Amino acid sequence: MNQTVPAVVRRIGRVLTDALFVFLLLGCVIAAGWLIARHDVHWDWTHTASHQLTPESRAIVQRLDAPLRLTVFADPASPLARMIGQLLERYSQALADLDIRYRDPRRFPEQAREAEVSLQGQILLEYRGRRETLAEVSERAISAAIARLARPRQAWVAVLEGHGERAIDGDRPDDFGRLGAELRELGLIARPLDLATVNAVPENTRLVILSQPRLPLFPGESEALIAFLDRGGHLLWLLDPGPPVGLEPLSAYLGLTPLPGQVAEPTALERGLETAAVALLDSYPVHPLTADLSATAVLPGALAFATEVAPGWMLATYLNSSATSWNETGALAAPLTQDEVIGERSGPLPVVLALTRTLPNAAPEQRVIVVGDGDFLTNAQLDLAGNRALGLALVRWLSSGEDLPTLPPLLTAAAPLELNDTQRPLLSAGTLVLLPGAFLLLGLGIRWWRWRVAE
């Protein structure tokens, strides 16, 4: 009897202990649920912070001072809506008053038609009476749309066409179609301009992009560009080797002195490029224009300049080719050798000139950039090395005062996991020996501890 009572007490005590444990566990779960429902806190421990907004997107939404509404046109119960909801949840974390709604376009056809929705999953953004419907669902597209809606106005960019220049909305390899899409994401309205059909650059244009024409300009067109500069407009001139093709007055107006030939880079073939007729911009001066640049830009068939400019203009900064380059005046065929006797100068050579001046009745500072190459911004070359970053940096500097947003980076494929000959055996030993051994020892230890307690 004396041995039975302690055993019964131990059994009852164990039951009470287990019941108390379950009660406390349920209490903790209920309390945690209550706290989570009232205090929404998220942690993203991934190395790339892939489950939260990028710093660029957070900066965009933090500038909003009015409610933002997002309407997702998809069946709320569909996998597509759940996938979009996971993306929009990041915006809810950064914007407490964000209003997200789901509308099935089959049940609400009038709303879908009013929002110009043609595909499942499109998103309608509404802010301060302005609205925009997106066909692409990504953080970059959504943040860019929010930035466009938050801006009170959109700036106009005129791209000179009509003489065989590169088209801003073209899809050929040598056109600027992808650049035009980038400008639209930034909130700039890029439109072609043919000075043969209009007498002057429109008054609402702040920036003109001029690429090398294939046909000579008509009389008066170069003068129309000069008149645009006289009233304080900004200019991005993308030159190419060869004659100015009717742009001689504009070149003289700015005081440009192109060097003969084109830039040759003897190390280009060693870097995997197809030709040595290229200028590599692998170092940048300390200047607001180049503050965010680090990657090497590749300018194929580039033209170099002297650093003298016309009176009244000031050379704010310039970007150079590498120290191993020179301006080759002969045939660009291997082996390349520099000949200083015929005027070939050793690098670094200026290939990008940034000019400024102040006019009495214009903006505080007028800006002009002349680049000795137009190919680096074409559809075929925009994604090469640091070309995209350089092109957008030039546009941003020329668009000073427009408050252009910084957009999230483009999505890139994750780098593959590569293990060397030392890491592979260590990983195998850890997963096949160390972890199972640790679990075995832990189980034996728990069993030994329970056996001691039972005694």
Side-chain angles (χ1 to χ4, degrees):
M1 185 67 178
N2 293 335
Q3 295 178 353
T4 305
V5 172
V8 172
V9 171
R10 284 198 300 270
R11 286 197 298 270
I12 295 175
R14 184 156 190 173
V15 171
L16 293 176
T17 302
D18 293 341
L20 179 61
F21 172 77
V22 172
F23 176 77
L24 293 176
L25 179 62
L26 290 176
C28 291
V29 171
I30 295 173
W34 183 83
L35 291 173
I36 290 174
R38 287 156 179 78
H39 306 281
D40 195 5
V41 180
H42 299 262
W43 293 275
D44 185 3
W45 294 346
T46 59
H47 177 69
T48 58
S50 56
H51 296 288
Q52 62 180 341
L53 289 182
T54 60
E56 294 83 0
S57 293
R58 288 199 298 271
I60 290 174
V61 300
Q62 288 171 1
R63 298 171 61 181
L64 300 179
D65 55 3
L68 172 67
R69 174 185 296 176
L70 304 181
T71 304
V72 182
F73 286 90
D75 182 0
S78 65
L80 176 60
R82 289 194 293 269
M83 181 186 67
I84 297 175
Q86 292 176 357
L87 174 60
L88 298 184
E89 179 64 24
R90 307 176 192 176
Y91 289 90
S92 298
Q93 298 169 16
L95 201 60
D97 57 350
L98 179 62
D99 182 9
I100 302 177
R101 303 180 180 184
Y102 292 86
R103 294 289 185 269
D104 188 344
R106 293 170 298 185
R107 297 182 57 191
F108 300 92
E110 295 182 359
Q111 294 187 22
R113 186 165 46 252
E114 182 184 359
E116 299 181 352
V117 170
S118 58
L119 298 171
Q120 285 274 352
Q122 287 189 255
I123 302 177
L124 171 66
L125 295 88
E126 297 175 277
Y127 178 78
R128 286 191 175 277
R130 296 185 291 271
R131 56 186 347 199
E132 181 174 341
T133 302
L134 295 180
E136 177 187 354
V137 180
S138 67
E139 180 182 336
R140 181 181 175 91
I142 295 173
S143 297
I146 294 174
R148 289 192 295 269
L149 292 175
R151 295 184 61 196
R153 65 180 183 86
Q154 291 182 306
W156 286 79
V157 177
V159 183
L160 196 67
E161 295 183 12
H163 303 275
E165 298 92 344
R166 300 171 175 91
I168 193 61
D169 53 1
D171 54 5
R172 297 181 304 174
D174 59 344
D175 282 333
F176 288 150
R178 299 180 67 181
L179 174 64
E182 293 281 346
L183 299 182
R184 286 190 291 273
E185 277 195 321
L186 292 175
L188 300 174
I189 302 176
R191 293 289 186 268
L193 172 65
D194 188 354
L195 290 177
T197 59
V198 296
N199 295 328
V201 179
E203 291 290 337
N204 60 351
T205 301
R206 290 280 295 162
L207 171 62
V208 168
I209 298 179
L210 172 62
S211 63
Q212 189 76 0
R214 297 178 182 177
L215 302 174
L217 270 66
F218 296 124
E221 291 187 76
S222 187
E223 287 72 16
L225 292 173
I226 294 176
F228 168 73
L229 293 178
D230 282 338
R231 68 171 192 253
H234 304 314
L235 174 67
L236 174 59
W237 189 1
L238 305 172
L239 270 168
D240 284 314
V245 197
L247 292 170
E248 293 87 349
L250 180 61
S251 180
Y253 180 82
L254 298 174
L256 301 181
T257 307
L259 300 182
Q262 55 185 303
V263 178
E265 175 54 62
T267 66
L269 299 178
E270 301 174 4
R271 303 191 187 193
L273 300 176
E274 298 179 354
T275 176
V278 63
L280 300 179
L281 279 61
D282 49 13
S283 62
Y284 299 97
V286 179
H287 190 269
L289 170 62
T290 59
D292 299 325
L293 297 180
S294 58
T296 299
V298 180
L299 278 61
L303 182 70
F305 304 96
T307 54
E308 295 82 11
V309 295
W313 291 97
M314 182 180 69
L315 187 60
T317 188
Y318 54 89
L319 310 184
N320 288 327
S321 61
S322 69
T324 57
S325 64
W326 69 85
N327 60 313
E328 176 62 46
T329 59
L332 290 164
L336 290 175
T337 57
Q338 180 186 1
D339 189 352
E340 297 182 357
V341 176
I342 59 176
E344 295 180 350
R345 302 186 188 181
S346 300
L349 299 174
V351 293
V352 179
L353 304 180
L355 287 67
T356 61
R357 71 174 178 179
T358 302
L359 295 177
N361 300 321
E365 184 180 68
Q366 183 183 15
R367 298 179 175 182
V368 171
I369 290 181
V370 182
V371 186
D373 174 49
D375 296 316
F376 80 105
L377 292 181
T378 60
N379 297 334
Q381 303 286 337
L382 187 63
D383 287 332
L384 182 61
N387 287 4
R388 179 191 300 272
L390 174 61
L392 294 181
L394 300 181
V395 173
R396 285 182 180 280
W397 190 74
L398 289 170
S399 302
S400 174
E402 298 295 342
D403 195 20
L404 299 182
T406 301
L407 300 181
L410 294 171
L411 292 178
T412 56
L417 177 63
E418 298 181 357
L419 302 178
N420 56 35
D421 295 337
T422 302
Q423 294 170 333
R424 281 193 293 270
L426 290 177
L427 180 61
S428 300
T431 55
L432 299 178
V433 179
L434 296 180
L435 284 179
F439 291 142
L440 178 60
L441 293 175
L442 180 61
L444 293 175
I446 294 174
R447 178 60 182 166
W448 175 82
W449 179 78
R450 289 180 176 176
W451 174 71
R452 289 290 303 271
V453 172
E455 291 183 344

